[in-house]
Amino acid sequence: MLIVLLYLGLILEPRTAVQAGHLPKPIILAEPGSVIAAHTSVIIWCWGSWEAQYYHLYREQSLNPWDTAVPLETRNKAKFNIQHMTITYTGICKCYCKSAAGFSEHSDAMELVMTGAYENPSLSVYPSSNVTSGVSISFKCSSSIVFGRFILIQEGKHGLSWTLDSQHQANQPTHATFVLDAVTPKHNGTFRCYGFFRNEPQVWSKPSNSLDLIISETKDQPCTPTEDGLETYQKILIGVLVTFLLLFILLLFLILIGYQCHHKKKANASLKNTQSENNAELNSWNPQNEDPQGIVYAQVKSSRLQKDTASKETQDVTYAQLCIRTQEQNNS
């Protein structure tokens, strides 16, 4: 009876185990990935609790565990090996662990897919595989096999995928058109498509030809300054600074010239005032106690240009000569 009860405990539907669970929910993942080519190997890891004694792997819609494994030396994980991938191993998988306290929660679902079951479809893109950001493009996946659905996958870190029902037209291959509106740089990468039938959604065809999509930034979007751009900005800044410096020097030069001109005009004006005072009118006069018959008069003459040693400039000098004319000289 004890053996029977133990057996029933192992094959009970995981829902019962969840209700009695005391362990945290484990994590399930596949290496190298969950999309595996036919007849290649894959490892399924189940990461759980340090208290786990057993790890169970099962597929949805099945009451019996698919496989059971004991923990590795670290005791918080178990490994399930699949040496040759076949249709038998495809499906939606989950794992859970068991300890003396009970069962853990179920892990999240992982879809294990096998590729290579059918001939590959062809993939094309319109208008081009090299477009600018914001443009709408279309991928067309077509095949001579009448698949029920097609899936488009972006390889790489983003791992985007799109699934569409196939379209049938007379005398034309079965196809599906995937429209990507307003593409962005996150769509950069390699794209492939697969075909599959509705009753076997985890059994795909061989991959189509690959297409590398290159999305470049639009012209009106600001670009991140590069090293060349920074160097250009530095040159422009230096040129502006030099220009302002030259203008400042020119302004100082003009101010200095204006100051000198003003000072020179002021000096000339002072010199003219001095000359006007020296050019006073000389009147004739008759000194007392002299011969009343004599006439004293002043004769004004202009001299040649002479150089004033003080001002270093050539000036006109005017002088007066006093003369006495007697009566006899007048009569003669």
Side-chain angles (χ1 to χ4, degrees), residues 69-86:
V70 295
L72 299 177
E73 293 180 358
T74 56
R75 301 195 62 81
N76 65 333
K77 62 182 177 180
K79 180 172 67 173
F80 301 91
N81 290 314
I82 299 176
Q83 296 295 332
H84 302 281
M85 186 66 184
T86 61

Side-chain angles (χ1 to χ4, degrees), residues 259-278:
Y259 176 78
Q260 291 180 349
C261 292
H262 177 73
H263 183 70
K264 187 175 181 180
K265 289 181 179 179
K266 188 175 181 181
N268 292 336
S270 178
L271 180 61
K272 288 181 179 180
N273 292 334
T274 303
Q275 291 176 355
S276 62
E277 292 177 357
N278 294 331

Side-chain angles (χ1 to χ4, degrees), residues 194-268:
Y194 301 83
F196 60 90
F197 295 100
R198 295 176 183 273
N199 59 340
E200 292 182 329
Q202 288 85 35
V203 181
W204 296 356
S205 68
K206 294 178 181 179
S208 69
N209 56 294
S210 62
L211 280 179
D212 295 326
L213 188 62
I214 301 175
I215 309 297
S216 58
E217 296 288 348
T218 54
K219 296 181 179 179
D220 57 346
Q221 290 181 341
C223 298
T224 303
T226 60
E227 293 183 359
D228 294 338
L230 291 175
E231 185 177 354
T232 302
Y233 297 152
Q234 291 176 353
K235 291 181 179 179
I236 294 175
L237 181 60
I238 292 173
V240 172
L241 293 176
V242 171
T243 301
F244 277 111
L245 181 60
L246 293 176
L247 291 175
F248 180 73
I249 294 174
L250 180 60
L251 180 62
L252 290 178
F253 180 73
L254 294 176
I255 293 174
L256 182 60
I257 291 178
Y259 176 78
Q260 291 180 349
C261 292
H262 177 73
H263 183 70
K264 187 175 181 180
K265 289 181 179 179
K266 188 175 181 181
N268 292 336

Side-chain angles (χ1 to χ4, degrees), residues 95-106:
C95 73
Y96 61 97
C97 56
K98 178 183 180 299
S99 69
F103 294 95
S104 70
E105 298 182 28
H106 299 154

